[in-house]
Amino acid sequence: MSLDPGCAAPRQTLTVLEARRTILDAVAPVGGHECVALRASLGRPLARDVIAPCNVPAHDNSAMDGYAVRAEDLPADGEVSLQVVGTAYAGRGFSGIVGRGQAVRIMTGGVMPMGADSVVVQEVVRVDGERITVPSGLRRGQNVRRAGEDLAEGGVAIPRGKRMGPAELGLAASLGLAEVAVTRRLRVAFFSTGDELASIGRPLAPGEVYDSNRYTLHGALARLGYELIDMGVVPDRPDELEAAFLTAAGSADVVLTTGGVSVGEADFIRDLMQRLGEVGFWKIDIKPGRPMAFGRIGKAWMFGLPGNPVAVMVTFYQFVQDALLKLSGVDPLPERPMMPAVCVAPVRKLAGRCEFLRGRLFAEDGVWKVKPASAQGSGVLRSLSEANCFIVIDENRGDVKAGETVPVQLFEGLI
Ligand code: AMP
Ligand code: MG
C-alpha cells in the first residue's frame, strides 16, 4: 500500500474518491471488545452478532382486536353464528380450548387460544350477547402474528459491525438482553498547530485568533463516542511538535491535527513526519481543504487536516469520519446519501476540483431546493452553522446556473 499515491503517480493531485479509497483501504479495525449494559451501547459498533435467545414474538398472537376463531367454522359465503366462550387479553390469555362453533374475544397482542387459528376483526362482527355473527371471506391465519415471525430463536438479530442505534437498543431489549458485546472505544488524540492560536479563556493578543478547530473536532468526535485526548495548541516549533506527535501516537489509535500542512508551512512538518513515521502529504482536488497529510506514526494513524476551520469540517467528514468508523469496527460503512436539489442561485466553480459548498436545503411547492450560502470562504464558520447541507459539485462540472439540479449531502440523518 502506498500512502503517497500523489507522489507515485505522474499526476500531482488525488481526486476526492481516490483519497477516500486510499484511506479506507489502508485502515483496518483496531480490535478488542467489552460487554456493556444495553443503554451504554448506544452509538457503539457490535463486536459480535447478537443471536436471538428466543422467538420474537414468543407466541402466536393477535395482530388486531377481534375474535379468535377456527377457520374451518367459517362459511365460504353467507354468515355464521359463533358462541363467545372467553377473552384473551395481551398478557392474560384464555386457558381453555376453542371448540367447534366457538370463538374467543381477543385483544391485540393476546396469545392465540388453543384450537383457534385466525382472528376476525371486531369491525366486521355483529355482537348479540354471548354470540357473534361472522361474515365469510376470512383466510386461515389472518390477523395472526406467528411465533418467531420477526426473529427466529438462534438467528442473527443484529449483525456484528452494526452501530447500536435506537432501533437496535429496542431490538436487543425485545430479546431480553441486558448486555451486548461492543468494540473497544477508539482512542483519538488531537491538537491544533499554529503560533497565532490562543485557547479560549483569555483575551486575544494582537495577531492572535482563537483556536476553534479543537472544538469542532471535539464535537465531531464526541458524537462518535470515542475516548478523546485533547492536547491543546502546539506552536509551530519542531521540538514541541515532535514531542506532541510522539505523545499522541504513544497513547492513541488515531492522531488528528489541524494546520501546518499548507504549502510553505508543510516543509518542516514533512521532514518531521518522515523521521517519525510514514506519512504522505497530499494535494486533493477539493475545495475547501486541498492539502492533507495521512499516514502512520508508530502504531497510530495520523490525519493532518488543513487549518482553515471550514476545511477542517469538510475534510473530517469526507475523509476522516468513515476511516474512524472502520477502525472502530463498523461494517459495512453507512451509505452517504446524496439527493438532487434545484440550486436557486448561480455558483461560480472551476472545473477540475470537487467543491463542497455550504447550502440550505428547503422544500418549496413540493420541490427540494438549495440556496448556497453567500459567504463560502474557508474560514467562515458562521455559514457552516447556518447551512444544513453540502452542495457537492464534482470535478467535471464548471459554473452552475440558477435552476440547475445539484447533488446535496445532508448534515443530519433522521435516526
Ligand atoms: P494553516 O493551514 O496552518 O496555514 O492555517 C490556515 C488558516 O486557518 C490560518 O488563517 C489560520 O490562522 C487558521 N487556523 C489554523 N488553525 C486554526 C484553529 N485551530 N482555529 C482557528 N483558525 C485556525
Ligand atoms: Mg498554521
Side-chain angles (χ1 to χ4, degrees):
M1 169 203 70
S2 166
L3 295 181
D4 208 349
C7 291
R11 269 194 20 257
Q12 284 301 297
T13 58
L14 292 175
T15 65
V16 170
L17 278 180
E18 285 167 339
R20 265 181 71 75
R21 202 171 305 126
T22 307
I23 292 169
L24 289 176
D25 285 351
V27 300
V30 293
H33 75 274
E34 58 180 324
C35 286
V36 296
L38 189 51
R39 285 193 188 95
S41 73
L42 184 66
R44 300 186 63 179
L46 282 178
R48 289 198 285 266
D49 290 343
V50 168
I51 304 293
C54 55
N55 281 323
V56 177
H59 312 278
D60 292 355
N61 68 89
S62 177
M64 305 293 278
D65 289 344
Y67 294 85
V69 298
R70 301 149 49 101
E72 68 197 42
D73 283 348
L74 302 183
D77 38 44
E79 293 180 340
V80 68
S81 170
L82 301 173
Q83 184 199 1
V84 180
V85 293
T87 305
Y89 299 96
R92 187 152 46 90
F94 171 75
S95 51
I97 299 175
V98 182
R100 182 171 305 160
Q102 295 182 332
V104 161
R105 175 90 173 108
I106 193 164
M107 304 304 165
T108 304
V111 173
M112 287 296 287
M114 279 209 302
D117 54 22
S118 314
V119 171
V120 191
V121 296
Q122 61 192 16
E123 287 78 6
V124 302
V125 166
R126 269 200 330 277
V127 183
D128 180 13
E130 303 279 274
R131 298 198 72 82
I132 55 172
T133 305
V134 179
S136 62
L138 190 78
R139 269 185 296 107
R140 185 184 294 275
Q142 198 157 348
N143 302 318
V144 176
R145 297 189 288 222
R146 294 264 162 234
E149 183 177 284
D150 298 350
L151 275 173
E153 182 180 336
V156 175
I158 317 174
R160 185 171 69 95
K162 177 98 181 169
R163 270 183 95 194
M164 293 293 286
E168 289 70 33
L169 253 59
L171 182 51
S174 76
L175 297 169
L177 299 173
E179 284 193 340
V180 289
V182 294
T183 61
R184 171 172 80 70
R185 243 182 239 283
L186 205 63
R187 274 192 292 275
V188 183
F190 58 106
F191 55 88
S192 298
T193 72
D195 288 335
E196 76 283 24
L197 301 180
S199 290
I200 55 177
R202 68 164 175 83
L204 287 180
E208 287 186 332
V209 293
Y210 283 121
D211 168 19
S212 58
N213 289 346
R214 267 188 310 127
Y215 291 85
T216 20
L217 283 184
H218 173 91
L221 294 165
R223 272 197 177 175
L224 296 171
Y226 300 149
E227 209 177 287
L228 303 186
I229 307 170
D230 182 341
M231 296 180 55
V233 173
V234 179
D236 294 315
R237 292 233 320 265
D239 53 338
E240 295 205 34
L241 281 167
E242 175 165 351
F245 274 118
L246 289 176
T247 306
S251 49
D253 303 298
V254 178
V255 180
L256 279 183
T257 65
T258 65
V261 292
S262 55
V263 180
E265 269 202 312
D267 293 352
F268 79 90
I269 292 206
R270 185 178 291 149
D271 293 345
L272 182 62
M273 291 295 136
Q274 256 136 31
R275 261 192 308 117
L276 298 182
E278 190 201 350
V279 177
F281 281 74
W282 295 352
K283 287 196 195 96
I284 306 172
D285 295 331
I286 186 174
K287 186 189 172 191
R290 187 163 138 92
M292 198 181 105
F294 169 67
R296 292 205 91 141
I297 304 174
K299 289 205 183 102
W301 289 101
M302 187 269 178
F303 293 86
L305 306 184
N308 267 312
V310 178
V312 169
M313 292 278 282
V314 170
T315 48
F316 180 87
Y317 284 105
Q318 303 309 321
F319 303 117
V320 184
Q321 177 162 279
D322 278 356
L324 297 178
L325 291 175
K326 184 169 176 190
L327 284 163
S328 67
V330 173
D331 183 26
L333 289 174
E335 299 294 336
R336 299 164 65 84
M338 298 257 241
M339 62 176 280
V342 175
C343 194
V344 298
V347 174
R348 293 196 62 77
K349 151 87 171 51
L350 285 181
R353 67 185 183 200
C354 182
E355 292 198 9
F356 290 82
L357 298 147
R358 282 143 274 170
R360 247 210 105 70
L361 184 73
F362 62 99
E364 193 174 66
D365 305 329
V367 178
W368 285 106
K369 300 183 175 177
V370 66
K371 183 172 189 307
S374 48
Q376 294 285 351
S378 56
V380 188
L381 270 180
R382 181 181 49 83
S383 54
L384 192 57
S385 160
E386 289 167 359
N388 62 3
C389 67
F390 286 126
I391 303 170
V392 186
I393 309 186
D394 71 24
E395 292 84 353
N396 303 318
R397 215 158 155 179
D399 290 344
V400 174
K401 293 196 211 52
E404 283 192 80
T405 297
V406 288
V408 304
Q409 206 174 43
L410 275 178
F411 289 172
E412 299 277 352
L414 178 60
I415 293 185

